[in-house]
Each structure stands twice: as structure tokens, then as C-alpha cells.
Amino acid sequence: MSQDASRSIPLLPPPRELELGAPQDTFWLDADVSIVLSARATDETVATARLLQTAIQVATGLLLPIRRTLRPLEESRSIVLLRTDRDGPVPSTDLASMGPEGYALSIGQQRLLVLATAERGLFYGVQTLRQLLRTQGRLLPALSIRDWPVLPNRGVMLDVSRGKVPTLETLFRLVENLAAYKYNHVQLYIEHPFHFPSHPEIGAGSDPLTADDILALDAHCRAHHVELVPNLQSFGHLRRLLSLPRYAHLDEVGWQWSLTPAREETYQLLDELYADFLPNFTSSWLNVDCDETWDLGTGQSRALAERLGKGRLYLQHILRVRDLAAKYGRRIMVWADILLHFPDLVAELPDDIVLLDWWYEAQDHYPSAALLGSLGRTFWVCPGTSSWNTLFPRIENAIGNIRTFVRDGLAAGASGMLLTDWGDYGHYQLLSLSWYPYLFGAAVAWSGPDIELDDFDRAFALLFLDRPADDASVRAIHRLGRAVTLPSLGLPNRSNSALALFDEPLAGRLIERTDPHDLEELAEAARAALRAWVALPDAQLRHDYTFTARLVVFAAEKLLASQRVRRLLGSLPDPADENGRSRGLTQLDEAIATLEAQRTLLEPLAREFEQRWLAHARRSEIHQTLDRFTALGQRYQAAIAWLREQRQRYASGQPVDATLATYSPGPYHPLWEEGVQKLLELVRLAGPDSLPAQLRESLEREGLLGGAG
């Protein structure tokens, strides 16, 4: 598609081929137009036609009739949907080479024609037409489109195991929107939030999904040509399950992390969970996950690891769960991170296993894709939305991660992209924030990695945000996405913007490590975003985006205030100087007032957080984040009380404690600092060598691993 065409006709994903016709050949939608199907049209075709009928009514106010007819191509003033493999003689077009999801769309003065070889192709052609209706209204330009995907499998995986389980209504809307932008695959990452009838305690207390929920969601997915693939963690990441007394004996080393492969009861348990879980899905796949099994071979299976080697022990487990899945008619997918450490063993995997290659940082190249391609494996690339471990997504990282990983995957023969959206440390980020990376992923996985970002942004503004193409809303997304990754805020797989929110007000580790200029830009970027986003037409997006902007402003201003207080404590005038002491007391009073004002803001922020959460999700484990707001409020109270004590000392002519030697923050570890503390406790059980090198090096850089062994 030419650049001029992409700008005048914004579409997501951009079609592979688009030619504009003569301006005088536009198609005018009027009440004399019909939606025409062949007499052989199935109920699926009729359902697709109903979607188009609704879109036309929204765009024009016209409720056009749908008709089956014996000779659909003889109808004038019509919108014709035809399957070339079924509906008789049709205009010649090379649809077969485009596959079952390809379509051709042509618009002339008298007729609009959508052709495909399969129902999915008709569905995607109609999605493109729905977008044209949104931007062009009832006067549709003459054009010809031929379109098909570069990747046959285009999916999103949403984490529902970190404290937040979306409502069924939210999941339905998610599927509808993903399908509208030509995704065809969805997974919900599950460790525990499913009601297993044979093991109900696993999901208890998490508002788990039920079999009834999955049956309803599976049917909704199929109606939108999306495959709902079951995803059940089957090795590591099982802290909730292994913390329950009934399953404690299956814990590999006491980390409450991985199932031990040394006990046959592990496979009996997985068999029973699969029996409860899998019959509710129509997909023939199962993602067994099995990633990050750091503790494998360090506890109950140590002797097996010494005899077989860790790699072969891991391979043995994968083969066991493959057999279990096959018992229920499923083939498995597995994350590739562990197997990449043992490439010589990858050749021993049966050909029916799909490897999911995940990397979440933007890089110039992804060597793992080339390696898996050279080994002849069926694999998908799995970039991330960069939405987790941050208050606002690391947008530029997501763009680079998605674009380059898909590029390298295509070059190496990948057959799919699974865009992952995690929820580490309580899943406090709002789902709405992931839509920019979702749609960028859709565009790249369908159209290829060379799409122009400016063209994408114009289309995103028009089609998704319902704003003008040059609107400030998208610019605000980019600016705030860059601000959360400024040099003293950005980290691999996270942003300190999130930690700034819950950092201890006086003793937080970020106070001395964060550049105030970065914080000032973060606050200003959030204020600019707030001004841009208050006009978003969609209420859910408007509420979610503006609340997030307010939360970022608070976090930045909070950390700036903490820095000012710390500087003040070290620069107060000599208390023996009466005039100086008077100025110092005024400064201390202002500092105390600032902290009191921030503490006062916490409660309404927590209430609004709760409202935004419940607008999308079940109550589930919201307490994880609400408890952090409460704990931070308590830390503010303690900090203010300590500052008041220092003021009293200063007023009596004594120096303040500028080094905070008398200030005790207590056992307060926000977000991933809390996770690091737990990890360090576990490392003491198995030793630092049990950690992967990258994680160990990261902890050492942070000065957190000394003495942990």
C-alpha cells in the first residue's frame, strides 16, 4: 500500500495491497442498498453480515436488509459477501494464494464486493469495511484491496494470575476488539484462578474463572474467529498451589515455586487438573508454560539431576506433560527459555510441540529466533506489551520489541506471534493501557514489521481513540511512555515510576538514586497527558487514562518532595543562630505540610483505583494493591511524626538527625523490592548458583545478593 493511500485511508492493520480508484466512482450508501449473500451462505456468513449491518447503522443511521439470492452478482446497489469456494462463479481473483484468512475488497459506483475462500477471510474483509465506515461514513471511496497475513497465528496472552481476574463482560469486549483488528488467538495465563472441581482449594479466594465462564468465552471466541487456547502452568510459578498444605510435599525445594518431577504424585495432580480444565475448551492446544524453573534439580530431584543432567530432567517433564495432554486430545505449547539453555536436547522434542520464544526488551536482534529456526522447530515469537511493572507502558520498548522480534521470527520461519501482557506484583496496571501495544502487535503480525509508525499513530487515533489523526492524545501516549523510561527511571522489564508510587517517604531507595530532572519531566508528561486525555470520547478509556496520569503525577511529585525533605535535613541553618533557626523552622513546617497533603491524597486515589479495577475485573485479590496504599499511608504517618520530633529538637536548639539514623522504616518493601526479599530468602535455601545468570547479575548490581548464599 502506498504511503499516500495509507494516509488518506487509515486502516489497522494496514492492508498488504490497496489501490485507489477514480474519485467519481465512489459508492454512496443509501436506503436502496442491500447486503447480499449467496443462497448457499451459512449461518457464519450471516453472522458476519449482521456485524456489517450494525456497523452501517452506527455510521449512517441506515438499517440495510440482508438477503440471500441465487444470483448475487446481478444485484445492483449492493454489498456482496461471497466465498469463492462455495458461492458459484465469481470474478477471477488469486485468492487461493492468500490462504483462508485472505480477502479481496473492491468498491465501485454500483457495488461493493468482499471475496474470500473461507469464513475467516470474509470476516476479516468485513472488519476492514467496518473501519472504512468509521472514517469515510456513507460515501465510500472507490478502491481495490487484496489482503492476507504474514503470520498465520496472531495472539494475545493475558495474565489473570497476579491478583486480577477480568469480568466475563470485559473478556467478551477484549475478544471483540482483538478480532476487529484481526487477532485469531487468545490465551488466559492461569496458575490458580480456575475452579477445579477436584481441587477447589487451589482457586479459592481468587474469584476464579469457572467451567461455565470458559464455555461462554470459548463460544464467544469462536463466533469471532478467535481460538481460545487453554493455558495452565504445569511446572514453575506455582507459589499459590504449593503454599497449600495439601500440596506442600510436591514442592521441589521449599521455594513454593516448582513442582518436583521426582514424585509420581506430581503427574497425578496434573492429570486431575487437566481433566477438570481441558474439556471446557474446543481448541486442540494446551500451553503448559513450564518457564523459569530456577529451582529444578536443587531439592527433591537433585539425585535425578545429577544422574540425568538438568536439561534432560526438564525434557523428561515436558514429555510427561505432553503425554498427559495427549490423553485429552491436546498438543502442547511450552515456553522456550529453559530449552534454549540445552539446544542439543531440543532435537529430541517431538515435532508436534510448539516452542514459545519470549523476550521482552527491545533489541537489535533476537538470536534465539535464528537458533530455533536453524533447529527446524515450529516456534512462535512472544514479545510483550511492556505494560507491567510500570505505571504507564514503556511504549517505545514495546514498539521495538514487537517490530524487531516479529522481523527476526519471520526471517527464521516462525509461524506465529503471541503478544504477552503480564501483571506482576498485583496487576495494578489497567487493561486499557495495553491497547496501543495490542494494536501495534496486530498491525505488525498481519502486515509485517515495516509499517510506518506515523501512519499507525494516525490510524490508532482515528479508529481506536475516535480522535483526529493529529490529535494530542497519541503524542501524549508516546511522551509519557518515554518519560517512564528516562535514565534514572527505566530498568529492564520495569520502570521505577511504579516503585516511586509506593516508595518509603523518607527512607526509600529511589530518593537518592533518581534524577529530579527525570521526575520533573515525568510529572509534566503526565500533566500534558491528562489535558489531552480528558477529551477521549470512550468513557472507559477516558477514565482509565486520566486516572493513570493522575497517579503518575502523584508518584513523581511524591518522590520530588521526598528529595527536598532529605536535602533540607542536611542543609538547615545552625540551630544556635536564632534568625537561621526561624527560617529553618518555617522550612520544616512547609515540609511537614507537604507530606500531610500527600498523605491526604492517598485515600481518594486508593478509592478511585478500586473503582477503576472493578470497572474491568472481579474483586479477586485487589487487596494486594489496596494494602500497599494502606501501608504507604501508615509510613506517611510515621514519617510526619518523626519530622515533628526533629522540629521539636531543632526548635530547642539541637541539631536534627540529617542521616535518618533514628528513623526506622520497619519491614517495608514495596512492589518488587518485596519480591526480591522473598527471593533472597529462597536463595538461602538453594544458593545463588540456582538463579539464572541474568537474574543473579541484576541482583548483584543492585547490591542485593551479598550474603544471600
Short mmCIF file of all heavy atoms in Angstrom, two decimals, residues 548-576:
data_model
loop_
_atom_site.label_atom_id
_atom_site.label_comp_id
_atom_site.label_asym_id
_atom_site.label_seq_id
_atom_site.Cartn_x
_atom_site.Cartn_y
_atom_site.Cartn_z
N THR A 548 -4.72 7.12 35.46
CA THR A 548 -3.31 6.74 35.42
C THR A 548 -2.41 7.97 35.38
O THR A 548 -1.38 8.02 36.06
CB THR A 548 -3.04 5.84 34.21
OG1 THR A 548 -3.83 4.65 34.32
CG2 THR A 548 -1.57 5.45 34.12
N ALA A 549 -2.79 8.97 34.59
CA ALA A 549 -1.99 10.20 34.53
C ALA A 549 -1.93 10.87 35.91
O ALA A 549 -0.86 11.34 36.33
CB ALA A 549 -2.59 11.16 33.50
N ARG A 550 -3.04 10.90 36.61
CA ARG A 550 -3.04 11.50 37.96
C ARG A 550 -2.15 10.70 38.90
O ARG A 550 -1.44 11.27 39.74
CB ARG A 550 -4.47 11.55 38.51
CG ARG A 550 -5.35 12.57 37.80
CD ARG A 550 -6.76 12.61 38.39
NE ARG A 550 -6.70 12.91 39.80
CZ ARG A 550 -7.22 12.12 40.75
NH1 ARG A 550 -7.79 10.97 40.41
NH2 ARG A 550 -7.16 12.46 42.01
N LEU A 551 -2.17 9.39 38.77
CA LEU A 551 -1.34 8.55 39.64
C LEU A 551 0.15 8.80 39.35
O LEU A 551 0.97 8.84 40.28
CB LEU A 551 -1.70 7.08 39.39
CG LEU A 551 -1.48 6.08 40.53
CD1 LEU A 551 -2.27 6.49 41.76
CD2 LEU A 551 -1.90 4.69 40.07
N VAL A 552 0.50 8.98 38.09
CA VAL A 552 1.89 9.25 37.73
C VAL A 552 2.33 10.61 38.29
O VAL A 552 3.44 10.75 38.81
CB VAL A 552 2.09 9.19 36.21
CG1 VAL A 552 3.50 9.64 35.83
CG2 VAL A 552 1.84 7.78 35.69
N VAL A 553 1.46 11.62 38.17
CA VAL A 553 1.78 12.94 38.72
C VAL A 553 2.04 12.82 40.21
O VAL A 553 3.03 13.37 40.74
CB VAL A 553 0.65 13.95 38.45
CG1 VAL A 553 0.89 15.24 39.23
CG2 VAL A 553 0.55 14.25 36.97
N PHE A 554 1.17 12.10 40.91
CA PHE A 554 1.35 11.94 42.35
C PHE A 554 2.68 11.25 42.66
O PHE A 554 3.42 11.69 43.55
CB PHE A 554 0.20 11.12 42.94
CG PHE A 554 0.37 10.82 44.41
CD1 PHE A 554 -0.02 11.74 45.37
CD2 PHE A 554 0.95 9.63 44.84
CE1 PHE A 554 0.15 11.48 46.73
CE2 PHE A 554 1.13 9.36 46.19
CZ PHE A 554 0.72 10.29 47.13
N ALA A 555 2.99 10.17 41.93
CA ALA A 555 4.23 9.43 42.21
C ALA A 555 5.45 10.31 41.99
O ALA A 555 6.39 10.30 42.80
CB ALA A 555 4.29 8.19 41.32
N ALA A 556 5.46 11.08 40.90
CA ALA A 556 6.61 11.94 40.62
C ALA A 556 6.74 13.04 41.66
O ALA A 556 7.84 13.31 42.17
CB ALA A 556 6.47 12.54 39.22
N GLU A 557 5.63 13.69 41.98
CA GLU A 557 5.68 14.77 42.97
C GLU A 557 6.02 14.24 44.36
O GLU A 557 6.70 14.91 45.14
CB GLU A 557 4.35 15.51 42.99
CG GLU A 557 4.10 16.31 41.71
CD GLU A 557 2.81 17.09 41.75
OE1 GLU A 557 1.93 16.75 42.60
OE2 GLU A 557 2.65 18.04 40.95
N LYS A 558 5.58 13.04 44.66
CA LYS A 558 5.89 12.42 45.95
C LYS A 558 7.39 12.23 46.10
O LYS A 558 7.98 12.57 47.13
CB LYS A 558 5.17 11.08 46.05
CG LYS A 558 5.61 10.17 47.18
CD LYS A 558 4.86 8.85 47.09
CE LYS A 558 5.41 7.86 48.08
NZ LYS A 558 6.76 7.38 47.73
N LEU A 559 8.03 11.68 45.07
CA LEU A 559 9.46 11.42 45.16
C LEU A 559 10.26 12.73 45.14
O LEU A 559 11.27 12.87 45.85
CB LEU A 559 9.90 10.52 44.01
CG LEU A 559 11.29 9.90 44.10
CD1 LEU A 559 11.55 9.26 45.46
CD2 LEU A 559 11.48 8.87 42.98
N LEU A 560 9.80 13.73 44.38
CA LEU A 560 10.45 15.03 44.42
C LEU A 560 10.37 15.65 45.81
O LEU A 560 11.36 16.23 46.30
CB LEU A 560 9.80 15.97 43.39
CG LEU A 560 10.20 15.75 41.93
CD1 LEU A 560 9.25 16.50 41.00
CD2 LEU A 560 11.64 16.18 41.69
N ALA A 561 9.20 15.53 46.44
CA ALA A 561 9.05 16.07 47.80
C ALA A 561 9.97 15.34 48.78
O ALA A 561 10.57 15.96 49.67
CB ALA A 561 7.60 15.95 48.25
N SER A 562 10.10 14.02 48.62
CA SER A 562 10.99 13.25 49.49
C SER A 562 12.43 13.73 49.33
O SER A 562 13.18 13.85 50.31
CB SER A 562 10.89 11.76 49.17
OG SER A 562 9.61 11.25 49.44
N GLN A 563 12.83 14.00 48.09
CA GLN A 563 14.19 14.50 47.86
C GLN A 563 14.39 15.86 48.50
O GLN A 563 15.45 16.13 49.09
CB GLN A 563 14.45 14.57 46.34
CG GLN A 563 14.53 13.21 45.67
CD GLN A 563 14.72 13.32 44.17
OE1 GLN A 563 14.36 14.32 43.55
NE2 GLN A 563 15.28 12.27 43.57
N ARG A 564 13.39 16.73 48.41
CA ARG A 564 13.52 18.06 49.01
C ARG A 564 13.65 17.96 50.53
O ARG A 564 14.44 18.68 51.15
CB ARG A 564 12.32 18.93 48.63
CG ARG A 564 12.31 19.36 47.17
CD ARG A 564 11.32 20.49 46.93
NE ARG A 564 9.95 20.08 47.19
CZ ARG A 564 9.14 19.55 46.27
NH1 ARG A 564 9.59 19.37 45.03
NH2 ARG A 564 7.90 19.22 46.58
N VAL A 565 12.86 17.05 51.14
CA VAL A 565 12.94 16.89 52.59
C VAL A 565 14.32 16.39 53.00
O VAL A 565 14.92 16.89 53.96
CB VAL A 565 11.83 15.93 53.09
CG1 VAL A 565 12.04 15.59 54.57
CG2 VAL A 565 10.45 16.54 52.89
N ARG A 566 14.83 15.42 52.26
CA ARG A 566 16.15 14.88 52.60
C ARG A 566 17.23 15.96 52.45
O ARG A 566 18.16 16.05 53.27
CB ARG A 566 16.47 13.68 51.72
CG ARG A 566 15.60 12.45 52.02
CD ARG A 566 16.15 11.64 53.20
NE ARG A 566 17.36 10.97 52.81
CZ ARG A 566 17.41 9.75 52.28
NH1 ARG A 566 16.29 9.06 52.09
NH2 ARG A 566 18.57 9.21 51.96
N ARG A 567 17.12 16.76 51.40
CA ARG A 567 18.10 17.85 51.23
C ARG A 567 17.97 18.88 52.35
O ARG A 567 18.97 19.39 52.87
CB ARG A 567 17.90 18.53 49.87
CG ARG A 567 18.37 17.71 48.69
CD ARG A 567 18.53 18.58 47.45
NE ARG A 567 17.28 19.21 47.06
CZ ARG A 567 16.38 18.68 46.22
NH1 ARG A 567 16.61 17.47 45.70
NH2 ARG A 567 15.29 19.31 45.91
N LEU A 568 16.73 19.16 52.72
CA LEU A 568 16.50 20.14 53.78
C LEU A 568 17.14 19.68 55.09
O LEU A 568 17.78 20.48 55.80
CB LEU A 568 14.99 20.35 53.97
CG LEU A 568 14.57 21.21 55.17
CD1 LEU A 568 15.10 22.63 55.03
CD2 LEU A 568 13.05 21.20 55.32
N LEU A 569 17.00 18.41 55.43
CA LEU A 569 17.55 17.91 56.69
C LEU A 569 19.06 18.08 56.75
O LEU A 569 19.63 18.25 57.83
CB LEU A 569 17.19 16.43 56.87
CG LEU A 569 15.70 16.13 57.12
CD1 LEU A 569 15.45 14.63 57.13
CD2 LEU A 569 15.22 16.75 58.42
N GLY A 570 19.69 18.04 55.60
CA GLY A 570 21.14 18.19 55.58
C GLY A 570 21.61 19.61 55.39
O GLY A 570 22.83 19.84 55.36
N SER A 571 20.70 20.57 55.25
CA SER A 571 21.12 21.94 54.95
C SER A 571 20.46 22.99 55.84
O SER A 571 20.50 24.18 55.51
CB SER A 571 20.81 22.25 53.48
OG SER A 571 19.40 22.17 53.24
N LEU A 572 19.84 22.56 56.93
CA LEU A 572 19.22 23.53 57.83
C LEU A 572 20.26 24.45 58.45
O LEU A 572 21.39 24.02 58.75
CB LEU A 572 18.46 22.79 58.94
CG LEU A 572 17.13 22.14 58.56
CD1 LEU A 572 16.65 21.22 59.67
CD2 LEU A 572 16.08 23.19 58.22
N PRO A 573 19.91 25.72 58.66
CA PRO A 573 20.86 26.62 59.34
C PRO A 573 21.19 26.13 60.74
O PRO A 573 20.45 25.33 61.35
CB PRO A 573 20.09 27.94 59.39
CG PRO A 573 19.04 27.83 58.32
CD PRO A 573 18.68 26.38 58.26
N ASP A 574 22.30 26.58 61.24
CA ASP A 574 22.73 26.24 62.60
C ASP A 574 21.63 26.62 63.59
O ASP A 574 21.20 27.79 63.64
CB ASP A 574 24.02 26.99 62.93
CG ASP A 574 24.62 26.56 64.26
OD1 ASP A 574 23.89 25.95 65.07
OD2 ASP A 574 25.80 26.87 64.49
N PRO A 575 21.13 25.65 64.40
CA PRO A 575 20.05 25.98 65.34
C PRO A 575 20.45 26.98 66.40
O PRO A 575 19.58 27.59 67.05
CB PRO A 575 19.70 24.62 65.96
CG PRO A 575 20.90 23.78 65.77
CD PRO A 575 21.51 24.24 64.49
N ALA A 576 21.76 27.17 66.60
CA ALA A 576 22.20 28.18 67.58
C ALA A 576 21.98 29.59 67.07
O ALA A 576 21.96 30.55 67.85
CB ALA A 576 23.68 27.96 67.91
#
